Amino acid sequence: MGALKAPGYKRMWHCGIRASAGKKNLLACITAIPASVQVYKDTVEMVEINFLCVHKKLRSKRLAPVLIKEITRRVNITDRWQAVYTAGVVLPKPVARNRYYHRSLNPKKLIDTGFTSLRRNMTLRSMTRLYKVADEPATPGLRELQPEDVKEATDLLNAYLAQFQLHVNFSEHEFAHWFLPRKGVIYTSVFKVFI
């Protein structure tokens, strides 16, 4: 729920399609959350589109374009005209490309669900051993992020992101929402360097 209720979110930006009024089954959805994005020297208030999902049996019914048009309409009502989103396919005019890496924490489940597969010459046992997380951190002084760290950590992150021409600007409130540890959701660690 934290990903859907970012600071400044609007319920009208959570759009879903149900089978009928009596049923509780969600067949498709799309969401948006507010984002303050630095584009070159300008700060643009826009939304981040996420969680576009359509039930497997309905994917040939062209619901995704309908959901995209509806979320666009709902966002435009609030005077936001730009959006950022990611796609698993190459788009006609992308503004940025990135590469990201996953560290599989539960390889068996990821293989069972089809998210990933075993590489050649690798067994499930060897993959599990490869991705096992150490019981104790290797970095001395590593500790869990605390609320009193938020200001300094926000400043550090924003200073790092400032080197890029396209990046999100985090307020302290947004940083706290996204990065403060929540059991079973996110674990954030910090360590201080004394110079």
Side-chain angles (χ1 to χ4, degrees):
M1 288 302 278
L4 297 176
K5 293 186 173 183
Y9 87 98
K10 298 183 183 322
R11 282 190 66 199
M12 69 184 286
W13 291 350
H14 300 166
C15 181
I17 297 174
R18 293 189 189 275
S20 66
K23 299 219 177 190
K24 296 286 185 190
N25 296 346
L26 185 62
L27 301 177
C29 75
I30 191 168
T31 66
I33 57 171
S36 177
V37 178
Q38 191 75 30
V39 182
Y40 298 110
K41 291 186 173 25
D42 298 325
T43 300
V44 181
E45 297 302 321
M46 57 178 75
V47 293
E48 177 188 329
I49 302 295
N50 211 342
F51 303 115
L52 171 58
C53 303
V54 178
H55 191 281
K56 283 181 183 178
K57 292 180 180 177
L58 300 173
R59 292 190 182 152
S60 64
K61 305 291 184 202
R62 308 265 316 139
L63 283 177
V66 173
L67 287 167
I68 292 167
K69 283 180 185 173
E70 178 59 19
I71 200 72
T72 301
R73 185 189 71 77
R74 291 179 182 203
V75 168
N76 290 163
I77 288 171
T78 63
D79 201 31
R80 289 183 190 238
W81 304 94
Q82 305 278 328
V84 292
Y85 53 91
T86 58
V89 295
V90 178
L91 299 171
K93 292 186 179 182
V95 296
R97 288 192 181 138
N98 70 347
R99 177 173 292 193
Y100 52 92
Y101 299 91
H102 295 275
R103 177 166 185 165
S104 302
L105 298 178
N106 189 345
K108 182 179 179 347
K109 183 172 187 175
L110 295 173
I111 290 168
D112 290 346
T113 59
F115 182 80
T116 192
S117 59
L118 282 172
R119 293 189 306 214
R120 251 180 345 159
N121 303 325
M122 185 172 276
T123 64
L124 180 59
R125 173 181 260 162
S126 62
M127 187 177 196
T128 303
R129 196 174 320 125
L130 176 68
Y131 292 125
K132 185 177 183 332
V133 178
D135 293 332
E136 292 295 319
T139 307
L142 192 67
R143 63 174 175 79
E144 192 173 79
L145 179 75
Q146 301 293 321
E148 56 270 13
D149 300 320
V150 167
K151 181 180 178 359
E152 190 175 0
T154 304
D155 293 343
L156 280 171
L157 178 60
N158 284 330
Y160 170 76
L161 292 174
Q163 70 181 308
F164 303 105
Q165 294 178 341
L166 177 67
H167 63 89
V168 175
N169 292 320
F170 286 97
S171 69
E172 288 180 30
H173 184 58
E174 291 167 330
F175 182 91
H177 174 82
W178 291 114
F179 295 106
L180 276 177
R182 288 192 301 263
K183 188 172 174 64
V185 179
I186 184 168
Y187 301 93
T188 308
S189 301
V190 295
F191 72 95
K192 273 202 185 235
V193 177
F194 297 99
I195 299 174

